[in-house]
Amino acid sequence: MTTIKLVTLPCPTCLHIRHGHKVLQSTLQNRAASGSSSPTQKSRRAFSLSAVTLSLSALVFSNVPSSSNSWANPQVPKFLELPNSGGVKALDLRIGDGETPLDGDVVAIHYYGRLAAKQGWRFDSTYDHKDETGEPIPFSFVLGSGKVISGIETAVRSMKVGGLRRVIIPPSQGYQNTSQEPLPPNYFDRQRLFTTIFNPTRLANGEGATLGTVIFDIELVSLRHL
Protein backbone atom coordinates (compact mmCIF):
# COMPACT_ATOMS: atom_id res chain seq x y z
CA MET A 1 0.00 0.00 0.00
CA THR A 2 1.41 3.35 -1.09
CA THR A 3 1.24 6.24 1.43
CA ILE A 4 0.65 9.71 -0.01
CA LYS A 5 1.92 12.57 2.11
CA LEU A 6 0.26 15.96 1.58
CA VAL A 7 2.49 18.99 1.84
CA THR A 8 0.95 22.47 2.24
CA LEU A 9 2.67 24.98 -0.01
CA PRO A 10 2.48 28.74 0.61
CA CYS A 11 0.35 30.59 -1.92
CA PRO A 12 2.19 32.78 -4.52
CA THR A 13 0.42 35.89 -3.21
CA CYS A 14 1.70 35.33 0.30
CA LEU A 15 5.22 34.77 -1.03
CA HIS A 16 4.95 37.98 -3.06
CA ILE A 17 3.77 39.98 -0.04
CA ARG A 18 6.49 38.59 2.19
CA HIS A 19 9.11 39.29 -0.47
CA GLY A 20 7.83 42.84 -0.93
CA HIS A 21 7.93 43.42 2.82
CA LYS A 22 11.53 42.20 2.99
CA VAL A 23 12.53 44.45 0.06
CA LEU A 24 10.88 47.46 1.68
CA GLN A 25 12.43 46.67 5.02
CA SER A 26 15.84 46.27 3.38
CA THR A 27 15.45 49.56 1.52
CA LEU A 28 14.57 51.43 4.67
CA GLN A 29 17.51 49.88 6.51
CA ASN A 30 19.88 50.83 3.69
CA ARG A 31 18.63 54.41 3.74
CA ALA A 32 19.06 54.60 7.49
CA ALA A 33 22.54 53.13 7.22
CA SER A 34 23.53 55.63 4.57
CA GLY A 35 23.23 58.35 7.25
CA SER A 36 20.91 61.06 5.97
CA SER A 37 22.24 64.37 7.18
CA SER A 38 20.03 66.92 8.92
CA PRO A 39 18.83 69.81 6.70
CA THR A 40 21.11 72.79 6.55
CA GLN A 41 20.00 76.26 7.47
CA LYS A 42 20.16 77.23 3.79
CA SER A 43 17.77 74.48 2.69
CA ARG A 44 15.40 75.40 5.51
CA ARG A 45 15.33 79.01 4.34
CA ALA A 46 14.65 77.85 0.76
CA PHE A 47 11.78 75.68 1.92
CA SER A 48 10.39 78.50 4.06
CA LEU A 49 10.55 80.93 1.12
CA SER A 50 8.75 78.42 -1.13
CA ALA A 51 6.03 77.95 1.47
CA VAL A 52 5.53 81.70 1.78
CA THR A 53 5.32 82.04 -2.01
CA LEU A 54 2.75 79.27 -2.29
CA SER A 55 0.77 80.69 0.62
CA LEU A 56 0.72 84.17 -0.94
CA SER A 57 -0.31 82.76 -4.33
CA ALA A 58 -3.19 80.85 -2.77
CA LEU A 59 -4.19 83.93 -0.82
CA VAL A 60 -4.34 86.47 -3.63
CA PHE A 61 -6.24 84.14 -5.94
CA SER A 62 -8.77 82.99 -3.32
CA ASN A 63 -12.42 83.82 -4.03
CA VAL A 64 -11.58 85.23 -7.47
CA PRO A 65 -14.59 84.82 -9.79
CA SER A 66 -14.09 82.48 -12.74
CA SER A 67 -16.21 81.67 -15.76
CA SER A 68 -18.49 78.63 -15.70
CA ASN A 69 -16.56 76.98 -18.52
CA SER A 70 -13.13 77.67 -17.05
CA TRP A 71 -12.34 73.94 -17.26
CA ALA A 72 -12.51 74.21 -21.04
CA ASN A 73 -10.76 77.56 -21.34
CA PRO A 74 -8.76 78.15 -18.16
CA GLN A 75 -7.95 81.78 -17.41
CA VAL A 76 -5.57 82.72 -14.64
CA PRO A 77 -6.45 86.10 -13.12
CA LYS A 78 -3.73 88.60 -13.89
CA PHE A 79 -2.59 91.30 -11.51
CA LEU A 80 -1.36 94.45 -13.19
CA GLU A 81 1.05 96.92 -11.64
CA LEU A 82 -0.57 100.32 -11.35
CA PRO A 83 1.36 103.15 -13.05
CA ASN A 84 3.59 105.22 -10.78
CA SER A 85 2.48 103.16 -7.80
CA GLY A 86 5.77 101.96 -6.40
CA GLY A 87 4.91 98.33 -7.06
CA VAL A 88 1.21 98.13 -6.13
CA LYS A 89 -0.48 95.36 -8.12
CA ALA A 90 -4.22 95.29 -8.72
CA LEU A 91 -6.88 92.89 -9.93
CA ASP A 92 -10.31 94.32 -10.71
CA LEU A 93 -13.01 91.99 -9.41
CA ARG A 94 -15.79 94.35 -10.48
CA ILE A 95 -15.63 97.47 -12.65
CA GLY A 96 -17.67 100.34 -11.27
CA ASP A 97 -19.98 102.56 -13.34
CA GLY A 98 -19.72 105.74 -11.29
CA GLU A 99 -17.29 108.65 -11.09
CA THR A 100 -13.55 108.41 -10.64
CA PRO A 101 -12.31 110.36 -7.60
CA LEU A 102 -9.82 113.21 -7.66
CA ASP A 103 -7.43 114.41 -4.98
CA GLY A 104 -9.37 116.44 -2.45
CA ASP A 105 -12.54 114.34 -2.76
CA VAL A 106 -13.96 112.60 0.29
CA VAL A 107 -14.14 108.93 -0.60
CA ALA A 108 -15.92 106.17 1.30
CA ILE A 109 -14.65 102.61 0.94
CA HIS A 110 -15.28 99.19 2.34
CA TYR A 111 -12.17 97.09 2.73
CA TYR A 112 -10.97 93.70 3.82
CA GLY A 113 -7.34 93.81 4.96
CA ARG A 114 -5.04 90.81 5.24
CA LEU A 115 -1.41 90.29 6.16
CA ALA A 116 0.62 88.03 3.89
CA ALA A 117 3.10 87.12 6.64
CA LYS A 118 0.42 85.43 8.78
CA GLN A 119 -1.06 83.08 6.16
CA GLY A 120 -3.58 85.67 5.15
CA TRP A 121 -4.59 86.74 8.65
CA ARG A 122 -7.45 89.23 8.41
CA PHE A 123 -6.44 92.11 10.62
CA ASP A 124 -9.39 94.39 9.85
CA SER A 125 -12.58 94.72 7.83
CA THR A 126 -15.08 97.54 7.60
CA TYR A 127 -17.81 94.95 7.22
CA ASP A 128 -17.25 94.20 10.92
CA HIS A 129 -17.74 97.88 11.89
CA LYS A 130 -21.50 98.18 12.41
CA ASP A 131 -23.78 101.09 13.29
CA GLU A 132 -26.74 100.89 15.66
CA THR A 133 -28.89 99.35 12.94
CA GLY A 134 -26.36 96.63 12.21
CA GLU A 135 -25.22 98.11 8.88
CA PRO A 136 -21.47 98.12 8.10
CA ILE A 137 -19.84 101.55 8.29
CA PRO A 138 -17.56 102.54 5.38
CA PHE A 139 -14.18 104.11 6.02
CA SER A 140 -13.98 107.71 4.79
CA PHE A 141 -10.93 109.86 4.09
CA VAL A 142 -9.80 112.75 1.91
CA LEU A 143 -7.96 111.41 -1.10
CA GLY A 144 -4.42 112.78 -1.27
CA SER A 145 -4.33 113.83 2.38
CA GLY A 146 -1.77 111.18 3.34
CA LYS A 147 -4.07 109.93 6.08
CA VAL A 148 -4.01 106.36 4.81
CA ILE A 149 -1.22 104.16 3.47
CA SER A 150 -0.04 105.08 -0.02
CA GLY A 151 -1.07 101.78 -1.58
CA ILE A 152 -4.74 102.33 -0.82
CA GLU A 153 -4.73 105.91 -2.13
CA THR A 154 -3.05 104.73 -5.34
CA ALA A 155 -5.60 101.97 -5.81
CA VAL A 156 -8.62 104.21 -5.19
CA ARG A 157 -7.45 106.96 -7.59
CA SER A 158 -8.06 104.80 -10.66
CA MET A 159 -11.30 103.17 -9.49
CA LYS A 160 -14.88 104.10 -10.27
CA VAL A 161 -17.67 104.23 -7.71
CA GLY A 162 -19.16 100.77 -7.39
CA GLY A 163 -15.91 99.05 -8.30
CA LEU A 164 -14.21 96.28 -6.33
CA ARG A 165 -10.46 95.78 -6.55
CA ARG A 166 -7.94 93.47 -4.90
CA VAL A 167 -4.52 95.00 -4.40
CA ILE A 168 -1.17 93.63 -3.27
CA ILE A 169 0.67 96.41 -1.48
CA PRO A 170 4.45 96.08 -0.96
CA PRO A 171 6.06 97.31 2.26
CA SER A 172 7.25 100.57 0.67
CA GLN A 173 3.63 101.54 -0.06
CA GLY A 174 2.16 100.03 3.09
CA TYR A 175 2.45 100.86 6.77
CA GLN A 176 5.43 103.07 7.51
CA ASN A 177 4.45 103.83 11.09
CA THR A 178 1.79 102.91 13.64
CA SER A 179 -0.35 106.00 13.06
CA GLN A 180 -1.22 105.46 9.41
CA GLU A 181 -4.74 104.34 8.65
CA PRO A 182 -6.70 102.21 8.29
CA LEU A 183 -6.12 100.96 11.81
CA PRO A 184 -7.80 97.92 13.37
CA PRO A 185 -10.08 99.19 16.16
CA ASN A 186 -9.12 96.25 18.35
CA TYR A 187 -5.98 96.94 20.41
CA PHE A 188 -4.69 93.37 20.25
CA ASP A 189 -5.14 93.24 16.48
CA ARG A 190 -3.16 96.47 16.14
CA GLN A 191 -0.40 95.08 18.33
CA ARG A 192 -0.21 91.86 16.34
CA LEU A 193 -0.16 93.76 13.06
CA PHE A 194 2.61 96.16 13.97
CA THR A 195 4.77 93.73 15.95
CA THR A 196 4.80 91.58 12.82
CA ILE A 197 5.50 94.34 10.29
CA PHE A 198 8.11 96.12 12.40
CA ASN A 199 9.74 93.05 13.99
CA PRO A 200 13.38 94.25 14.38
CA THR A 201 14.95 90.78 14.43
CA ARG A 202 13.23 89.57 11.28
CA LEU A 203 13.81 92.90 9.54
CA ALA A 204 17.53 92.52 10.29
CA ASN A 205 17.38 89.06 8.68
CA GLY A 206 16.12 90.59 5.44
CA GLU A 207 12.49 89.49 5.78
CA GLY A 208 11.01 92.97 5.36
CA ALA A 209 9.50 92.22 1.94
CA THR A 210 7.49 89.38 3.47
CA LEU A 211 6.55 91.02 6.75
CA GLY A 212 5.13 94.27 5.41
CA THR A 213 3.17 93.03 2.40
CA VAL A 214 -0.57 93.60 2.84
CA ILE A 215 -3.51 92.62 0.65
CA PHE A 216 -6.69 94.67 0.49
CA ASP A 217 -10.03 94.08 -1.17
CA ILE A 218 -11.37 97.61 -1.71
CA GLU A 219 -14.88 98.61 -2.70
CA LEU A 220 -15.36 102.26 -3.65
CA VAL A 221 -18.78 103.05 -2.17
CA SER A 222 -19.12 106.78 -2.82
CA LEU A 223 -17.31 110.06 -3.28
CA ARG A 224 -18.08 113.65 -2.46
CA HIS A 225 -16.48 116.74 -3.96
CA LEU A 226 -15.39 119.38 -1.48
Side-chain angles (χ1 to χ4, degrees):
M1 181 177 179
T2 304
T3 302
I4 299 176
K5 186 176 181 181
L6 298 177
V7 179
T8 303
L9 297 176
C11 67
T13 302
C14 296
L15 290 174
H16 179 72
I17 293 174
R18 291 175 183 173
H19 176 70
H21 176 72
K22 288 182 179 180
V23 171
L24 177 60
Q25 186 177 26
S26 175
T27 303
L28 293 174
Q29 290 174 348
N30 290 338
R31 288 181 179 179
S34 65
S36 58
S37 59
S38 59
T40 63
Q41 186 176 4
K42 183 177 180 179
S43 63
R44 286 177 179 174
R45 286 183 179 177
F47 175 79
S48 176
L49 180 60
S50 299
V52 169
T53 302
L54 289 173
S55 176
L56 180 59
S57 298
L59 174 62
V60 298
F61 290 122
S62 64
N63 301 322
V64 174
S66 59
S67 60
S68 58
N69 63 340
S70 58
W71 58 272
N73 184 23
Q75 295 181 353
V76 177
K78 186 176 182 181
F79 280 79
L80 299 177
E81 184 169 329
L82 299 176
N84 304 315
S85 66
V88 177
K89 296 181 179 180
L91 173 65
D92 284 313
L93 304 178
R94 183 178 70 230
I95 303 296
D97 56 4
E99 292 184 82
T100 299
L102 300 172
D103 281 359
D105 290 344
V106 177
V107 295
I109 64 172
H110 275 304
Y111 64 79
Y112 187 101
R114 291 170 289 177
L115 186 63
K118 292 289 185 181
Q119 295 81 43
W121 168 58
R122 185 191 71 177
F123 59 83
D124 193 17
S125 172
T126 55
Y127 296 102
D128 294 334
H129 309 164
K130 306 292 181 65
D131 60 18
E132 61 276 4
T133 65
E135 290 296 316
I137 304 173
F139 172 68
S140 298
F141 63 96
V142 176
L143 189 62
S145 64
K147 177 181 179 181
V148 303
I149 58 176
S150 299
I152 288 183
E153 287 204 329
T154 300
V156 170
R157 277 193 182 98
S158 55
M159 293 179 68
K160 293 182 178 181
V161 173
L164 178 62
R165 172 176 281 183
R166 178 167 296 174
V167 290
I168 305 173
I169 302 175
S172 63
Q173 304 301 311
Y175 290 98
Q176 304 300 308
N177 55 65
T178 58
S179 63
Q180 284 183 297
E181 296 188 345
L183 293 172
N186 183 282
Y187 170 79
F188 295 103
D189 287 341
R190 289 198 303 274
Q191 287 295 103
R192 184 183 181 188
L193 174 65
F194 293 130
T195 54
T196 300
I197 293 177
F198 303 120
N199 186 305
T201 302
R202 297 183 66 180
L203 287 174
N205 290 337
E207 299 179 59
T210 301
L211 297 177
T213 299
V214 289
I215 301 167
F216 276 88
D217 288 356
I218 303 172
E219 179 184 10
L220 181 54
V221 178
S222 65
L223 66 84
R224 178 168 54 89
H225 302 297
L226 292 179

